[in-house]
Amino acid sequence: MKKVLAAIIFCNFMVSSAVSAEIKIGFVTTLTTPAAVIGEDMTNAVNLALEHLNGKAGSHKIEVVFGDDGFAPDTGKQVTDRLLKQDKVDIMAGYIWSHVLLASRKSVLDAGKILISSNAGPSQMASKLCHENFFSASWQNDQTPMAMGEVFNKVGIKSLYIMAPNYAAGKDMVAGIERTFKGQVVGKDLTKWGADAQLDFSAELAKAKVSGADGLFVFYPGAASGAFTKQYHQAGLKDLLPLYSVFTIDGISLPKLQAANFSGIVGSKVTQQWDPSLDNQANKKFVNDFKKQFGKYPSFYAAQSYDTINMIASAVTAVDGDMSDVAGLRSALKSANYNSVRGKYSYGNNNFPIQNFYLREVVEDSDGNWTTEVVDTVFKNHQDPFAADCKLK
């Protein structure tokens, strides 16, 4: 009888332990340097997702431990290692920058953990470096500029001058626009990036001005966006060389551009896989609650971070908190069975999303705030061009 009673007590203890299991998520983003403006938006979205989930995945409490990459690959790897070894997180997520993700990936994957990118989508990780434990909650870098290239072809732009930062994502963005754009690239500048990034673009803008191009295509995220856009307007290029961009005019930069009264931004068009105006229940709740709490529209960085937490929660629920069931976690993540703010999507063989890409226009809302809205669908269920080079099935 004592043995039976002991067995019952043990079983009850095991059930109680499983129900109260705490899941730790390591989330790496940029919390210092001027690029922290992005990290703040991501952090806010993560916390909002936790609030909407009541801090739980099913019956399991979720804790997010944030790590600051300092906008540097070495620092990003160090903080990743700390989260894995000292904080003993169950799953890793975040990562704004492609070069930081590339420097950190091996630490996570060698530890047998799931790694989810909330933003960075380097071509290497979509192709030869693809891995069964790596998932993207965003896109592959080339896809958004590929969509813009299709827009250029449709409206008849024949020549471009291109500017982008000289790092992994910048190179992917240039490759993406060149992959679909059928016209001529008459000039190209790759500028210094990192914690000491180049923010004086006067020399490059002077070359672009005399290039004879029909338009100027740029990729400058975060703090660099405001610096570039200000100098573009000060150079008097608004009426001479139309500006087209990806990841430059967004929820991060628009409030600052509006405060600076750069009225030429209204009406400009950008491409993206998400927009505040997407008409689905999850997105409406996310956008409305984000605006209420933080007084502004969320950026795509925020949207993808919000999705990251929700997709992790759905996977944790699917395995009932058993984080040692990596195969089960993979299967649940692959199904994308959660309410994404972008709407329903699927995963390709390389674990990158197959999803729509939209043309978005900068508009003024009913309260006078600058935001964006979808005006066209450029790609439907688009798969990145590197999936064919991934050996996963």
Side-chain angles (χ1 to χ4, degrees), residues 223-251:
S225 167
F228 173 84
T229 307
K230 179 179 179 180
Q231 292 169 49
Y232 168 82
H233 278 76
Q234 289 175 338
L237 295 178
K238 184 170 71 74
D239 298 321
L240 297 175
L241 187 63
L243 177 64
Y244 304 93
S245 67
V246 291
F247 306 115
T248 302
I249 297 172
D250 58 19

Side-chain angles (χ1 to χ4, degrees), residues 194-215:
D196 58 345
Q198 175 182 331
L199 295 177
D200 180 355
F201 305 106
S202 55
E204 290 79 12
L205 287 170
K207 289 193 290 181
K209 185 175 183 178
V210 299
S211 68
D214 292 336

Side-chain angles (χ1 to χ4, degrees), residues 15 18-23 55-62 316-317 320-321:
V15 171
V19 169
S20 63
E22 182 173 275
I23 310 302
K56 291 184 177 181
S59 60
H60 308 285
K61 183 180 177 182
I62 303 174
V316 171
T317 301
D320 195 20

Side-chain angles (χ1 to χ4, degrees), residues 5 44 128 144 182 193 252 270:
L5 184 59
N44 288 341
K128 293 180 180 179
T144 303
K182 295 178 180 178
W193 197 239
I252 296 287
V270 295

Side-chain angles (χ1 to χ4, degrees), residues 77 80-89:
K77 183 183 183 305
T80 296
D81 289 338
R82 189 204 75 210
L83 288 167
L84 289 167
K85 296 174 182 177
Q86 295 182 24
D87 294 285
K88 299 189 182 304
V89 298

